[in-house]
Amino acid sequence: PQDIPSDTIARFHTHPYGASEGFVHGPSQADIFSASRIRIPSFIIDRTSIMRVDPDTARGYHDAIFR
């Protein structure tokens, strides 16, 4: 596994947009698994929203939706 600095507070990455690009509107199962495994929140940004995975509950949330 990747070494994560001890002062890391969150992980950020983007999701593609569009079914042809494998778009998943919401945190993927891999996002949820990863946040739970590394024990830090994961934020996912796409063209329409910012999503968050809580490592303590292993649940994803839409924190902001852009219209």
Side-chain angles (χ1 to χ4, degrees):
Q2 178 179 335
D3 290 330
I4 299 171
S6 62
D7 57 351
T8 300
I9 61 168
R11 180 180 146 231
F12 295 85
H13 70 279
T14 61
H15 274 190
Y17 191 79
S20 64
E21 299 177 43
F23 175 67
V24 175
H25 191 71
S28 68
Q29 289 300 315
D31 295 330
I32 293 168
F33 175 77
S34 178
S36 296
R37 183 177 61 81
I38 61 178
R39 308 297 305 151
I40 60 172
S42 182
F43 290 86
I44 303 99
I45 302 166
D46 68 25
R47 288 175 40 184
T48 62
S49 61
I50 298 173
M51 299 155 279
R52 169 179 48 96
V53 177
D54 182 330
D56 295 325
T57 63
R59 293 194 56 206
Y61 303 91
H62 281 87
D63 287 332
I65 297 177
F66 307 106
R67 304 216 183 249

